[in-house]
Amino acid sequence: MREFLLGLRLLFGSGRGSRVRFLLMTLGGSLGVCCLALVLTIPAILDAHDGRAADRDPRVHTGRQSAGATLVVERSDPYGSKPFSRVFIAPGKDGTAIAPPPGLDELPAAGEVFVSPALHDQLRGEPGLKGLLPGKEKGLIGPAGLTDPNELYAYVGTTRAELGDDARALKSFGSEHPPTTAVEKSTLDILRFTLAVLVLLPLAVFLSVCAKLSAASRNRRLAALRLLGLSAKGTQRVNAAETVVAAFLGAVLGLAEFWLLNQIMARTGLPGLKWYPADGALSLPTIAVCLIGCTALSWFVGRAGARAAATNPLSTRRTAAPRAPRVWGGLLLVTGLGIVIGYCATGFTDHPAQSTGANSLLVPAGVLLTGLGLVTVMPLLSYAIATRLARSGNLALSLAMRRNEVEPGSAMRVVTGLVLLVFSASLAQGVLVEERQITRSDSPVQEYGLPLSQLDAGRQHRLRDLPGVHGDALLLEPRIDPEKEGGDWQAPALVATCAQLAELVRHSAGCEEGKVLRLQDPKASESPVKTSTYVMKRGDKRTSLKIQVPEETVLFDGYEVTDLPSPGLLIPPDRIPKHAAPAAATLILATSSDPGAVRDTLDRIGAVAPTVAVDPVGINIDGLQQITVIETLLALGMVMGLVIGVAAFLVSVTDRAVERRPQVTALSLIGARARTLRLVQCTQVVLPLAVGLVLALLAGKLAESAYLVTGGGEVFWDGAGVPLLVAAMTGVLVLAVVGTLPLVGRRIDPELIRRD
């Protein structure tokens, strides 16, 4: 306790510089703790989402149902890029009381509707949605019955006769597992690991940087205490006192910052992800990890930082040159890259490795060792570069490299955060590539089917002209006579020109404009049908359009998931009678299959035709929503990693410049120009950083490829993300140059070197 109090007295009695350093340590620690609390709270937010979905899930009887039981039917349709869910309930007559679901005080009676607040607001802007909710709005669903504030959800009371054959007898509400999850469990585990690499690894480096601010001046002060008779352990405790107090105050401030951030973000939301403030409330384990964990880390870092001054105080006071970095610093990187490269090599074989068994542990271990190796190898790289370039004839380069040769460990503090940012960004790209393979098909074209009977001519025209829509056509369903013996199969028809057909397929051959043709995919079997009949509507009258199936055939190579008929007919648009509309037809639209383009198109379709049922061919809306959440969380992790990396760089490079003011002043007094000194400062930082960034890019792409190979998808080598990473590297280097140039001032203060 005596050493702890002595450390506090030295902290507040050592001048303005020590107090500024303490403030920087506290503010830096608060930023890190805020990011840590956010990472630890994300799983709790997702669990709260899934928990409320499970609590309201209708449980139905699987056996024989009584005639008077309460019946339930669930419906979920896309409204834009979001799911629109409705639960239809027909109250029973057998007297069995069913407890209402969470968020409701009572079950809706026939003709009553309970809606979510978001749906209530949507109904005011889109009155046409009321057609999907037969009845009068009775009230709103409470937060306990909704997964998030933006959910479109409704309970609709109806009669037993209107439910149809899909109705099931309702037992109760609530199940152990949610029907759908915000993020699947396997994906959530990957997401947690990725966020750990994105945020927690740079965070540990950042907290270590904050704990080692002004290390040289503090070590000389501690060495003086050691020479005055303080024990080695006591000297370490004195240094740890300052870091512990700064870390504890920073942790308390960081938790307060997170509370404020949670209140703001919960109300504004993120793309695809919104939550209630209570979902992101700080839990006791999170508070304990932030307060105790960060304080304990600062204690050990503080003790380790004072070890040299406590064991060899004379060399510290005389600023003896430290030992060269040990080679073991590169062993972690070599081990991690060895594992990663081994799994990448299996991608060239006929049987690539899968993420099962031991591989599910070795791949994350290889990625983690590679990331840690990038941290520990930086002093070794800085020293190796410095020893080779220090003897060059260039004055600025020689001065810069001599300093890095004497103090190679400073490179780790200054540049490691930015190096880890590039490494983790590549890994995050790999996660997105794999998730996109899972949630959508590999087809470059995405189709959307809309029933023509629900669209008037104006809406059809507006839908065809939507931004991003590059193809459209009509799919006619033939008239079928169910009483005909042996069935009455006839060929469906695509009403389109040759140009429209070309926009919907990979390749077509034999198309002739203005002629009715057979439509055939060579991979599908041919049809013996000779004629096909289609029902047309002209006002209240119905007529038939009979088409003779010709011998001429247009062959097409379609995409994996498509609504194009094969076998079928290709009918020119001018063959449809004027002032007539098909009785059974589907409007097909085609856009790019990029998830962002799909979401935008669904939202635009919802704005034009909000009540029309949309079939996004081959796409699960819940899966599209999930990848939106994953992209949002990864983007959030990248932003936090960027903030932490930039903060670590700015704090450490500023502290480094302040520490070296005596040396800079001495060089200025003997005639070195300010321009030369700025170049020296810039070279000391930018050269190790450039080497570290290149190494991080190579290691990150290898780690990403190992992850993709074992993920089981078709994409192993993602070259599309390289330009983005190179641009990020360039931006980081520019930031490093801008951050180091102003740190050499014009004013010379001889007092800085008076004691030297």
Side-chain angles (χ1 to χ4, degrees):
M1 191 65 183
R2 181 170 60 90
E3 293 87 353
F4 187 82
L5 295 177
L6 177 59
L8 295 182
R9 291 185 63 185
L10 289 174
L11 167 63
F12 295 106
S14 299
R16 186 178 62 180
S18 295
R19 290 191 290 272
V20 171
R21 182 184 68 245
F22 178 79
L23 180 62
L24 283 175
M25 293 169 63
T26 303
L27 294 178
S30 71
L31 176 63
V33 168
C34 181
C35 292
L36 175 62
L38 184 56
V39 172
L40 295 177
T41 308
I42 285 174
I45 292 174
L46 299 178
D47 288 342
H49 174 285
D50 296 342
R52 288 193 293 270
D55 291 341
R56 74 185 184 193
D57 186 35
R59 297 177 61 194
V60 297
H61 290 280
T62 56
R64 192 174 178 182
Q65 59 194 40
S66 63
T70 299
L71 302 182
V72 64
V73 170
E74 293 182 88
R75 291 283 184 265
S76 183
D77 301 303
Y79 177 74
S81 59
K82 297 188 296 185
F84 173 27
S85 301
R86 294 158 291 160
V87 179
F88 294 89
I89 300 174
K93 300 178 181 179
D94 59 1
T96 303
I98 304 278
L104 293 184
D105 295 328
E106 58 179 344
L107 289 176
E112 295 179 348
V113 179
F114 290 91
V115 298
S116 64
L119 182 55
H120 173 77
D121 296 338
Q122 201 72 40
L123 285 170
R124 288 188 294 182
E126 298 287 351
L129 280 177
K130 293 181 180 178
L132 301 178
L133 301 168
K136 183 179 179 181
E137 184 177 322
K138 179 73 179 297
L140 299 179
I141 304 173
L146 300 172
T147 57
D148 62 73
N150 282 342
E151 188 178 24
L152 303 179
Y153 204 85
Y155 291 98
V156 182
T158 184
T159 61
R160 303 171 66 86
E162 293 176 346
L163 287 184
D165 297 335
D166 294 339
R168 293 291 181 268
L170 178 64
K171 183 190 299 183
S172 63
F173 289 95
S175 60
E176 295 182 1
H177 304 287
T180 59
T181 58
V183 179
E184 292 183 1
K185 184 180 182 304
S186 59
T187 305
L188 183 59
D189 294 338
I190 297 170
L191 191 61
R192 285 172 174 165
F193 174 75
T194 307
L195 287 176
V197 177
L198 278 170
V199 181
L200 298 186
L201 198 55
L203 177 62
V205 174
F206 180 43
L207 294 178
S208 299
V209 166
C210 292
K212 291 183 179 180
L213 290 176
S214 299
S217 60
R218 279 196 289 168
N219 283 342
R220 286 194 295 270
R221 185 181 65 193
L222 295 171
L225 292 175
R226 180 75 176 94
L227 292 172
L228 288 175
L230 192 64
S231 66
K233 290 186 177 180
T235 303
Q236 290 179 305
R237 294 192 191 104
V238 168
N239 187 53
E242 179 180 355
T243 58
V244 165
V245 173
F248 182 78
L249 293 179
V252 174
L253 181 59
L255 292 176
E257 292 171 356
F258 170 77
W259 179 86
L260 180 61
L261 184 66
N262 176 55
Q263 298 298 318
I264 296 173
M265 293 179 65
R267 286 165 172 79
T268 58
L270 297 171
L273 181 64
K274 194 173 182 181
W275 62 93
Y276 294 101
D279 297 344
L282 289 166
S283 62
L284 289 178
T286 300
I287 295 175
V289 169
C290 292
L291 291 179
I292 300 175
C294 294
T295 304
L297 174 64
S298 65
W299 170 263
F300 289 111
V301 171
R303 285 177 58 87
R307 186 177 295 120
T311 56
N312 197 355
L314 285 177
S315 64
T316 302
R317 289 297 301 173
R318 294 171 181 171
T319 61
R323 294 181 303 178
R326 302 291 182 88
V327 179
W328 69 266
L331 292 180
L332 286 178
L333 182 62
V334 172
T335 305
L337 285 178
I339 297 174
V340 165
I341 292 173
Y343 281 103
C344 288
T346 65
F348 295 101
T349 65
D350 295 333
H351 302 285
Q354 300 293 318
S355 57
T356 56
N359 295 341
S360 61
L361 298 177
L362 283 176
V363 174
V367 173
L368 191 59
L369 287 175
T370 303
L372 291 173
L374 289 173
V375 176
T376 58
V377 82
M378 286 308 301
L380 190 61
L381 283 177
S382 180
Y383 182 78
I385 295 171
T387 53
R388 289 184 176 274
L389 299 180
R391 295 169 180 81
S392 66
N394 185 277
L395 175 62
L397 184 60
S398 297
L399 286 175
M401 292 302 101
R402 283 297 183 188
R403 172 52 58 184
N404 283 357
E405 185 180 11
V406 171
E407 196 182 354
S410 64
M412 182 177 74
R413 292 193 293 127
V414 175
V415 306
T416 301
L418 299 178
V419 168
L420 284 176
L421 178 64
V422 173
F423 171 76
S424 52
S426 183
L427 183 63
Q429 282 185 342
V431 175
L432 282 178
V433 169
E434 184 181 11
E435 290 305 314
R436 286 173 178 172
Q437 290 183 86
I438 295 173
T439 55
R440 67 181 179 91
S441 66
D442 296 330
S443 171
V445 173
Q446 175 60 47
E447 295 180 9
Y448 312 83
L450 296 89
L452 196 67
S453 59
Q454 301 178 24
L455 299 170
D456 56 29
R459 284 184 175 179
Q460 292 180 45
H461 181 72
R462 290 169 61 191
L463 288 171
R464 287 187 169 98
D465 290 340
L466 286 177
V469 174
H470 59 73
D472 63 89
L474 282 182
L475 178 63
L476 303 187
E477 296 296 335
R479 184 180 65 184
I480 298 176
D481 184 2
E483 298 180 357
K484 187 173 181 179
E485 185 178 352
D488 186 27
W489 189 91
Q490 298 187 59
L494 188 72
V495 181
T497 63
C498 292
Q500 289 175 311
L501 175 65
E503 293 289 346
L504 300 175
V505 298
R506 286 195 181 95
H507 176 71
S508 63
C511 187
E512 297 183 39
E513 226 35 278
K515 294 182 63 176
V516 176
L517 302 168
R518 284 179 180 265
L519 191 60
Q520 182 70 46
D521 186 337
K523 297 186 291 290
S525 59
E526 296 187 8
S527 169
V529 66
K530 299 300 181 182
T531 61
S532 288
T533 303
Y534 308 94
V535 178
M536 296 289 162
K537 294 189 302 181
R538 185 180 283 115
D540 294 334
K541 297 180 180 180
R542 290 178 177 259
T543 60
S544 296
L545 174 65
K546 184 175 290 187
I547 301 292
Q548 296 292 330
V549 178
E551 294 296 330
E552 295 90 344
T553 303
V554 54
L555 300 177
F556 72 94
D557 181 15
Y559 296 106
E560 287 80 1
V561 182
T562 181
D563 270 344
L564 267 63
S566 179
L569 291 177
L570 179 64
I571 300 178
D574 57 12
R575 290 295 299 271
I576 303 297
K578 291 183 178 181
H579 308 297
T586 301
L587 174 63
I588 297 176
L589 304 177
T591 68
S592 165
S593 63
D594 179 76
V598 173
R599 285 191 292 269
D600 291 342
T601 302
L602 286 171
D603 288 336
R604 291 177 180 130
I605 292 174
V608 174
T611 60
V612 175
V614 183
D615 176 23
V617 182
I619 280 190
N620 182 352
I621 293 296
D622 292 329
L624 190 66
Q625 189 79 2
Q626 176 171 293
I627 195 173
T628 304
V629 174
I630 294 171
E631 289 177 341
T632 296
L633 294 179
L634 288 179
L636 183 62
M638 287 296 298
V639 170
M640 287 190 288
L642 177 62
V643 170
I644 293 171
V646 171
F649 171 77
L650 294 178
V651 167
S652 57
V653 80
T654 304
D655 176 69
R656 195 166 180 253
V658 172
E659 281 273 280
R660 292 183 181 173
R661 283 187 302 171
Q663 291 88 351
V664 172
T665 302
L667 290 172
S668 300
L669 289 175
I670 63 175
R673 293 181 298 177
R675 176 182 174 184
T676 302
L677 294 177
R678 288 192 178 93
L679 187 58
V680 169
Q681 288 276 47
C682 184
T683 306
Q684 287 173 351
V685 174
V686 171
L687 191 58
L689 177 60
V691 175
L693 289 176
V694 172
L695 183 60
L697 177 61
L698 296 176
K701 295 309 293 183
L702 288 172
E704 177 191 0
S705 297
Y707 173 77
L708 290 175
V709 167
T710 55
E714 295 183 2
V715 177
F716 287 175
W717 325 108
D718 173 35
V722 174
L724 179 61
L725 291 175
V726 172
M729 288 171 52
T730 305
V732 166
L733 289 174
V734 172
L735 173 67
V737 172
V738 173
T740 55
L741 286 180
L743 298 179
V744 177
R746 296 181 179 179
R747 179 173 169 268
I748 298 176
D749 185 6
E751 181 66 20
L752 292 172
I753 60 172
R754 180 179 62 83
R755 294 181 180 178
D756 290 343

